[in-house]
Amino acid sequence: MNKRLLEIIVIFIVLNQLLVACISDNEQNLYPEIGLRITSKENMTYFIDPVSGSDKNDGTKKELPWKTFKRLNKLILTKGNKIEILSPGTFRESLFLVGQGTSELPIILNFAQGKYNFFTQNSLKRKLHISNSNDAPDSLKAIAFYILKSKHIRVHGNDAQINFRGKAIIMSMNKCDNVIVENLKFDYERPTVSEFKVINSTKNFADIQIHKDSKYGIKDSMLVWIGDGWKHNVKDLCQEFDPKTQKVSRKHLPLSNSHFSELTKNKVRIYPNENRMLKEGLVYQNRNTFRDYAAIFMEEVKNIQWKNINIYFMHGMGFVAQFSENITYDSLIVKPNENSGRTCAAWADILHFSGCKGEIKVLNSYLSAANDDAINIHGTHLRITEKISNRKIKVRFMHPQTFGFDAFYPGDSIEFVRAKTLLPFSQNLVTIIERLNEKEMQLTLNNDVPNNIQTNDVIENISWTPKVTIRNNKIVQIPTRGILVTTRGKVIIENNEFIKPNMSGILISDDANSWFESGYVKDVTISNNKFIDCGDPVINIHPENLVIENEIPVHKNIKIVNNQFLENKSKIFSSKSTSNIIFSNNLVQSTINTKIEDLINIEACSNVDIIDNSLLINTDNYYSLK
């Protein structure tokens, strides 16, 4: 070999080793950006054993595994790379994965079966703006598994269970394509929703049994919930769960004005129990409603699949997909572990989609025991605050929990919408986006801005409105709505069971004055579902328009067919400002001696067909109304 070439090779090896050492020793680069990483060879396998491994090992041999993710976090993975976690154990740092696999040779992460603990103190932390969850915009969120700018990733859990010790985003994906996560279980050692059961209730006091997983203290006669890295006083907003009826509802109770004393371990007396506000035999769930996290966060990703995932508890706004494309959930089970004695599995929503496109699919899943909606799908209306020039406008995020993220991309189509009527009055294309601050941006448009903008009018990004399929799911123990959906893409909701949500089983809204969740629907089919003891009305088409303009509809083309309603509610269906409604071939079983027509409320709607529905009132027979 040429002597000069040999010297160059030696120098390169030495410099490379110095670079690795520098990164290893520099705490600031524990999670280096992509540019600081070393590219892995193709078809390499890396081994990690949190019990017996060592980061001084080679890591590429099963008998010499690494102990942590630190060495892996310094690599850009390539096609055919595999990560084998050989045994369950404890991790105190995040996995920050960057890699480019292919469909034929994806990057694979394999977990050994068993139970893992993840501690958040030394984890990767990032500032994130998350839709409907931005109460703490400047806080750093701990992320357990972070996948960035990656393609063709496969995460195989093999039924492994990961327990979290402290608040964490379980997994965050950003700018990723084609990721599959399957066969994993997630739980919290100390859930951020605390629970207690009332074992004795009198006029003057109530005795409660605090769940063994709900750590607490009593200071100055006040009950303080204590978790891993967090604590807060007991809150007045509770969720009341009745084990007999399996129904859950929200209650505002004056707990913050009560006094607490410990009788024995996990047994506490509350004074006073005004008018027996706490009911004997019921379970109460208590949380701090400050929205600081999402449980799983996906932003600017596409072609993502979650399969056979069990959630026993998750903190934050559930699974949040934000400006993402083609998201599928199949066989997702969200409910407390049967052996835990808990009644809550989700701190807020279970599935939340904000400004997505492509196809959203929720299939064969069991969604239960949440503190908010099971599924919420919407866009965001931004208010027009100024017309700067003929082709420039200033717009603003209006809701205090939704702001700071990219709401438009060059080439996106937008629609101008009247705030009062929710009716569109113009369309345009975005060519340039200038961020002015976290809540405001200036948009340059392809065509002239309309001259008839009124106070508080809004725009919607109509390039990001997904098709939705929600099929073969069971929705149980939900304090609010089973499904909220507002998208102009085709919506199919079929073969689902809605069991006792405290509010409507399905809500189709649209508003530009409160949550600013857009927009109108154009094609919705609700078929072959079973609605059991839902809130009133069971299906609610309710745009929040303040003015009905010449009976022009906000929503259109809604078909509700072949469903079963087992209800004692006064209304099974209510609709406002909607055209082209078909409500047919539905079976209603009711304890109310009434007629089908009396169970339906129609306001400012047109082309409504209510035909061939059947009503059964406490008998073995039913009759048909045409």
Side-chain angles (χ1 to χ4, degrees), residues 236-241 248-253 287 289 291 347-349 370-373 478-481 502-503:
D236 289 344
L237 178 63
C238 287
Q239 197 154 274
E240 184 182 84
F241 173 70
V248 65
S249 60
R250 288 178 175 176
K251 303 289 182 181
H252 283 271
L253 306 174
R287 65 185 173 124
T289 58
R291 297 188 176 192
W347 181 93
D349 289 1
N371 261 249
D372 215 323
D373 308 318
I478 300 296
T480 48
R481 284 79 35 153
N502 198 51
M503 299 181 185

Side-chain angles (χ1 to χ4, degrees), residues 479-503:
T480 48
R481 284 79 35 153
I483 296 173
L484 284 77
V485 58
T486 52
T487 175
R488 64 188 68 199
K490 184 177 179 63
V491 176
I492 298 174
I493 301 173
E494 64 182 10
N495 300 328
N496 304 287
E497 288 187 57
F498 299 81
I499 302 175
K500 302 182 180 182
N502 198 51
M503 299 181 185

Side-chain angles (χ1 to χ4, degrees), residues 581-624:
I581 299 171
I582 297 175
F583 188 92
S584 71
N585 292 296
N586 299 291
L587 171 63
V588 182
Q589 182 174 328
S590 177
T591 60
I592 300 173
N593 190 4
T594 186
K595 299 178 181 179
I596 288 283
E597 291 91 335
D598 296 333
L599 297 174
I600 296 173
N601 180 67
I602 302 295
E603 178 187 357
C605 295
S606 59
N607 298 326
V608 180
D609 287 328
I610 301 174
I611 56 173
D612 297 327
N613 299 289
S614 303
L615 179 65
L616 174 64
I617 304 177
N618 291 331
T619 68
D620 294 331
N621 301 308
Y622 62 88
Y623 58 90
S624 179

Side-chain angles (χ1 to χ4, degrees), residues 434-465:
E434 299 173 70
R435 183 78 66 85
L436 303 177
N437 51 57
E438 289 184 333
K439 293 190 174 183
E440 293 180 302
M441 61 192 76
Q442 179 177 288
L443 304 180
T444 301
L445 306 181
N446 190 60
N447 301 308
D448 285 350
V449 176
N451 293 319
N452 57 342
I453 296 173
Q454 298 176 7
T455 302
N456 295 337
D457 282 350
V458 296
I459 61 171
E460 180 186 12
N461 187 338
I462 62 175
S463 290
W464 293 80
T465 53

Side-chain angles (χ1 to χ4, degrees), residues 70-109:
K70 293 179 181 178
R71 295 281 297 272
L72 194 67
N73 291 341
K74 297 164 189 170
L75 299 175
I76 297 176
L77 301 178
T78 54
K79 62 183 183 180
N81 283 176
K82 292 182 180 179
I83 305 157
E84 298 283 349
I85 302 177
L86 299 175
S87 63
T90 295
F91 287 105
R92 299 181 182 275
E93 70 290 316
S94 305
L95 171 59
F96 185 174
L97 191 153
V98 179
Q100 300 289 315
T102 65
S103 57
E104 297 81 11
L105 291 171
I107 295 165
I108 296 175
L109 170 61

Side-chain angles (χ1 to χ4, degrees), residues 131-195:
S131 179
N132 295 71
S133 306
N134 218 12
D135 279 341
D138 296 321
S139 71
L140 296 175
K141 280 80 169 168
I143 303 171
F145 302 97
Y146 186 34
I147 306 177
L148 175 65
K149 292 185 177 179
S150 298
K151 291 183 179 180
H152 296 289
I153 310 295
R154 306 288 181 265
V155 179
H156 301 308
N158 301 303
D159 283 332
Q161 179 174 322
I162 302 175
N163 276 17
F164 289 91
R165 305 298 300 269
K167 294 179 182 180
I169 294 177
I170 293 170
M171 185 175 292
S172 179
M173 302 181 200
N174 189 287
K175 296 178 174 62
C176 294
D177 184 5
N178 211 307
V179 179
I180 298 175
V181 184
E182 59 184 354
N183 299 316
L184 269 170
K185 301 174 182 178
F186 300 108
D187 199 0
Y188 268 60
E189 188 75 12
R190 198 310 185 195
T192 54
V193 176
S194 304
E195 300 190 29

